[in-house]
Amino acid sequence: MFASVVNPAALSKWKDKERLTYALLVLLGSLLFFIGLGQNDIWTTNEGFYAEAVREMFESGNFLDIFYNYEPRYNKPPLLYWMIAFSSALFGINEFAIRLPVVLSALGAVYYTYRLGQLMHSQKLGQIAALIMFFSFQFAINARYASPAVPLTFFFTWTIYLFVKGYLQKSTPLIFWGYIALGLTMLMKGYPYLIIIMGIGGFFVLLQNQFNWRTYGKELLRLQPFWGLPLAVIIGMSWITYMYLTAGEAFHEVYMDETVRRAFREDKPLLRLKDFGFYLDAIAWGFAPYSLTFYFGLIYLAVNKFKGWRSQPVLQLSLSWLLVMYIVFTISSGKIPTYFIQAHPALSLLTAYAIMEIQLQNRFWKGVWNATFWIPGVAFTLAGIIMIYAYSLSPWFYTLVPLPLLIWYANRNWQITFLKTPFLPYTAMMLGLYIFMIGLLPQLETHFRRYDEIGMLIEEHVMEKDLPLLVEGRMFHNLPFYAERKVIKNQTPTDMEAYPTDQPLLIIVEDQFDCFFAEEQLLWEGYLYGHPSESRFLMFMIDALKQEKGQRNDMRKYQLYYRGKASSTANLE
C-alpha cells in the first residue's frame, strides 16, 4: 500500500538529500576544528606544560622521563605527551603539531558516539548524537587545546564502545581490545578511570539483566575480568611502575597528590549540599547548546519512569554512564568542570533519544520543548552579533549571522530532517564558533599574545643558549617553549639587581620596573595577560576588551631586556 502512494524515485531522492545534508554538517563541523589550528600561540598554563615537555623530550632524546622547564613533571601519565611527540616528529615542533592529536581525538570521540547510538538503537539516533556531541560547548572549546580532557574522552568512549559491543555480541576479541583501550585510558589520565569505567560497565550489565541478581555474576563474567583486568593494569600502570622504580618517593608524593588526595582531601568534608549541584551547573553551560534539551528530556523520561528502558540499551548505557560519573565526581573533593567532558557522549545519546522519542500533544509543553532549541539558537546568534560589534570585527561577518534562521525558514519547503528546529542550535553554534575563530582569535593574538615574537627575538639576539630567562613577579607557562630555555619565575627587582653587571642577563619585567638596563638593551615591549591563566578564556576576552577601551584590567605592559656579549642596539617595540 505504501509503495502505491509514494514514488520510489522521489523517496530515494529525498533520502539522498538527507544523507548529503548530514554529510555536509559533519564536514563543516570537522573543518571548523582545523581552521587556524596553528595560528594561535601556545596557551598558558596547561597547554604550556605539554608543549614544553615534548620540546624537552626531543632536546634530550628521553621520551620516558617527563620534564617541564628542565624539572621533573610527575603530575600526569605520558600518553598525551607521546601522542604530541609522534605528531611533532611528523610535522615539526609547532603549534599545529602539538594540537593535532587533540583534534583527531575529538573527531574520534564524535565517531564512537555515533557508533554507540547506531549499535544500541539506530543509525538515525547515532547521527543525531554525533551532531550534538560535535559542538557541545565545553567539548568544542577543548578540542583545539593541548590538554588531556578531549583525548581522554576519546579513549574513554572507545573503551566503552568495545566493551558494550563485545558484551552484546558475545565477542571475546572485542572485549580483549576493550581492555587494551582501558589500559590506554589509564595511561592517559590515571588508574581512577579503571574504577569509573568498570563501574559504568557493571551497572550497564545490571540494567541489561533488569536487576536480576541471580544471573548478574554470570553475566559479568562475560566481560572476562580475570584475564582482562590484569592486562589493562599492566598497560595502564607500566609508566607508573617505571617512575616508582626510577624516581621513588619524589614521584609518589606528586602522583598521589594528583589522584587520591585531590579526590579525598582531609581538609574538606566528604559531601556538602552544594556538591550535588556542581556538575548539574557544569552541564547547564558546558553541554550548551543542548543542555536545556537534555534537562527537559531527562525530566520527561523520569516522569514517564523511563518507559521502555528494559528494551532500550541506549537508555541503559546512558543512565549508567551519567549516574556513575555523577556519583564519583560529586563525592570527590576536587571538582573541575572539565572532568565531566567524558560524560558528553552519554549526554548526547540521551538527548538524541529524547529528540527521537518525545511526541507532545499539549500545546504548552510542546512550546516549552521547542523553546529548548530556540533559546540557545537565538542566544548563540546574539553572541555572534555581540562579538562582531564589541570587538569591531569586519562588517561582512554580519551577513553570516542570519544564516541559521534563514536555513531553518527555507527548510519548511525542503523538509530535510537535519535542518529542522532540533538542529538550529547546531548551526547557530557552528556559526558562532566560526566568527570566534576567524574573526576574534586572530585579533586577540595580534595585540595580546606575542609569545612567539618574544621567542624569535631571543633566538635572534641572545648568544648564550643556556642563559635562563628571569620573569618578574609571576610565571608565563608557555615561555619556556618559546624561549627554549629555563625560565626562573617570581623574580623581584632585588633578585635581578643582585646579578653581577659583568654577567649576561635576560629578563622580562613590568613596565614600571625601575630599570637598571641601558635603553639599547630593550628587545621588546608590549602587553601580556597578567592573570595566572588565559584558560579562563571569558575573563581573558573581557580584559582584552577593557584594554581596548582604556579601562582597568589585567593586561599589563612588559619589557624584555638582554644584557650580554652582543646586545641588540634596536628598540623593537
Side-chain angles (χ1 to χ4, degrees):
M1 181 179 178
F2 181 77
S4 65
V5 296
V6 176
N7 185 329
L11 183 61
S12 177
K13 185 176 181 180
W14 178 81
K15 288 183 177 179
D16 287 342
K17 214 187 316 185
E18 287 280 303
R19 285 193 291 265
L20 180 62
T21 303
Y22 179 74
L24 183 61
L25 290 174
V26 170
L27 177 63
L28 289 173
S30 301
L31 289 176
L32 196 55
F33 281 1
F34 286 95
I35 289 176
L37 185 61
Q39 75 178 9
N40 302 108
D41 289 353
I42 297 299
W43 297 92
T44 178
T45 306
N46 209 23
E47 198 172 42
F49 290 141
Y50 284 91
E52 172 60 8
V54 169
R55 190 195 70 78
E56 291 184 28
M57 283 180 174
F58 281 94
E59 185 177 82
S60 67
N62 181 353
F63 291 85
L64 284 177
D65 300 295
I66 299 170
F67 291 84
Y68 165 77
N69 203 23
Y70 299 94
E71 296 176 357
R73 179 163 174 79
Y74 302 133
N75 304 58
K76 296 290 189 295
L79 186 54
L80 181 56
Y81 296 102
W82 292 342
M83 291 167 66
I84 294 172
F86 180 74
S87 176
S88 298
L90 295 176
F91 301 104
I93 304 174
N94 54 57
E95 294 86 352
F96 173 84
I98 286 164
R99 295 177 180 131
L100 180 61
V102 181
V103 172
L104 296 178
S105 296
L107 297 179
V110 171
Y111 172 73
Y112 279 110
T113 300
Y114 159 74
R115 291 299 301 272
L116 279 167
Q118 181 190 47
L119 171 69
M120 295 184 300
H121 190 277
S122 63
Q123 183 175 8
K124 185 64 173 259
L125 187 141
Q127 290 172 335
I128 295 172
L131 290 182
I132 293 171
M133 178 76 175
F134 243 116
F135 291 136
S136 58
F137 182 70
Q138 200 173 22
F139 175 79
I141 62 176
N142 280 276
R144 295 159 49 92
Y145 177 68
S147 76
V150 169
L152 175 61
T153 304
F154 163 69
F155 284 104
F156 197 107
T157 309
W158 181 39
T159 301
I160 289 179
Y161 170 76
L162 290 169
F163 278 140
V164 169
K165 187 173 183 180
Y167 174 79
L168 294 176
Q169 298 182 358
K170 300 181 180 180
S171 171
T172 300
L174 284 174
I175 291 173
F176 169 80
W177 283 107
Y179 283 110
I180 298 288
L182 176 58
L184 293 174
T185 303
M186 295 166 63
L187 210 53
M188 174 62 67
K189 198 67 191 289
Y191 55 79
Y193 284 88
L194 172 69
I195 301 169
I196 294 170
I197 290 177
M198 287 295 97
I200 294 170
F203 195 50
F204 171 70
V205 172
L206 184 62
L207 292 181
Q208 274 271 298
N209 286 271
Q210 301 178 23
F211 295 98
N212 187 335
W213 294 97
R214 292 182 180 180
T215 61
Y216 181 57
K218 182 179 178 181
E219 288 296 306
L220 276 181
L221 292 178
R222 282 171 51 189
L223 291 174
Q224 312 289 339
F226 292 117
W227 61 260
L229 286 176
L231 175 63
V233 169
I234 288 171
I235 296 171
M237 300 293 286
S238 57
W239 179 80
I240 296 172
T241 303
Y242 165 78
M243 293 306 302
Y244 268 114
L245 293 175
T246 57
E249 189 62 25
F251 169 76
H252 174 76
E253 279 299 310
V254 174
Y255 196 73
M256 286 293 290
D257 192 60
E258 280 287 308
T259 52
V260 177
R261 294 193 189 104
R262 177 177 284 191
F264 303 106
R265 290 172 54 183
E266 295 178 359
D267 61 333
K268 287 189 177 181
L270 186 61
L271 274 178
R272 298 158 296 176
L273 186 60
K274 66 179 181 179
D275 290 338
F276 291 96
F278 184 89
Y279 286 106
L280 297 178
D281 178 63
I283 291 171
W285 65 267
F287 192 61
Y290 284 98
S291 52
L292 292 178
T293 307
F294 164 74
Y295 279 126
F296 185 98
L298 184 65
I299 294 169
Y300 175 89
L301 293 170
V303 168
N304 288 277
K305 300 178 181 179
F306 295 99
K307 183 180 178 181
W309 72 266
R310 296 175 186 274
S311 60
Q312 289 293 345
V314 68
L315 266 182
Q316 295 163 356
L317 179 64
S318 300
L319 293 173
S320 301
W321 197 327
L322 292 172
L323 189 61
V324 169
M325 289 199 66
Y326 178 77
I327 291 172
V328 169
F329 288 113
T330 296
I331 292 173
S332 170
S333 298
K335 292 180 175 59
I336 301 175
T338 52
Y339 288 170
F340 223 67
I341 292 178
Q342 290 78 55
H344 281 212
L347 293 168
S348 301
L349 290 167
L350 192 60
T351 305
Y353 180 82
I355 288 172
M356 291 188 67
E357 294 296 323
I358 291 179
Q359 302 292 332
L360 295 166
Q361 303 303 320
N362 182 283
R363 291 184 63 183
F364 174 78
W365 290 114
K366 189 174 183 179
V368 174
W369 174 241
N370 287 330
T372 68
F373 305 112
W374 277 101
I375 290 173
V378 172
F380 280 99
T381 301
L382 290 175
I385 295 173
I386 292 170
M387 272 193 291
I388 298 167
Y389 175 78
Y391 293 92
S392 303
L393 304 183
S394 173
W396 77 270
F397 282 114
Y398 284 114
T399 64
L400 300 177
V401 169
L403 275 179
L405 293 175
L406 290 175
I407 292 170
W408 169 83
Y409 182 80
N411 191 52
R412 294 192 305 172
N413 294 322
W414 299 341
Q415 289 298 304
I416 299 173
T417 303
F418 288 113
L419 295 179
K420 289 185 177 179
T421 305
F423 299 97
L424 180 62
Y426 178 91
T427 52
M429 181 73 166
M430 182 164 58
L431 183 68
L433 286 173
Y434 178 82
I435 294 171
F436 172 75
M437 293 173 185
I438 299 297
L440 181 56
L441 270 185
Q443 180 172 305
L444 295 177
E445 196 75 11
T446 299
H447 295 294
F448 305 116
R449 305 196 70 251
R450 309 307 295 269
Y451 305 104
D452 59 342
E453 182 181 357
I454 292 171
M456 287 187 288
L457 288 169
I458 290 174
E459 181 181 8
E460 180 181 352
H461 295 282
V462 179
M463 301 295 102
E464 301 85 357
K465 296 300 180 184
D466 58 348
L467 180 66
L469 170 63
L470 280 60
V471 178
E472 181 195 3
R474 59 154 297 165
M475 176 65 171
F476 297 97
H477 289 87
N478 54 2
L479 272 184
F481 177 78
Y482 288 106
E484 298 187 6
R485 63 192 65 235
K486 185 175 180 62
V487 173
I488 302 177
K489 63 181 179 180
N490 296 327
Q491 293 288 287
T492 66
T494 303
D495 295 330
M496 296 175 179
E497 290 175 357
Y499 282 81
T501 56
D502 60 344
Q503 288 186 8
L505 194 60
L506 181 65
I507 66 171
I508 286 183
V509 294
E510 287 198 49
D511 185 43
Q512 69 267 23
F513 181 77
D514 188 13
C515 193
F516 52 86
F517 278 73
E519 182 178 342
E520 63 269 14
Q521 293 172 320
L522 175 66
L523 294 186
W524 176 88
E525 62 180 347
Y527 286 95
L528 296 174
Y529 193 40
H531 192 273
S533 175
E534 301 163 326
S535 302
R536 300 173 69 179
F537 196 78
L538 182 59
M539 290 177 57
F540 174 66
M541 288 173 56
I542 292 172
D543 279 335
L545 184 60
K546 287 181 177 179
Q547 174 65 25
E548 295 284 4
K549 296 181 180 297
Q551 300 172 5
R552 182 180 177 85
N553 61 82
D554 257 336
M555 295 292 174
R556 301 176 188 174
K557 195 170 186 179
Y558 284 87
Q559 296 173 322
L560 173 69
Y561 287 96
Y562 168 56
R563 180 183 69 207
K565 297 176 182 177
S567 296
S568 170
T569 58
N571 185 332
L572 302 173
E573 180 174 355

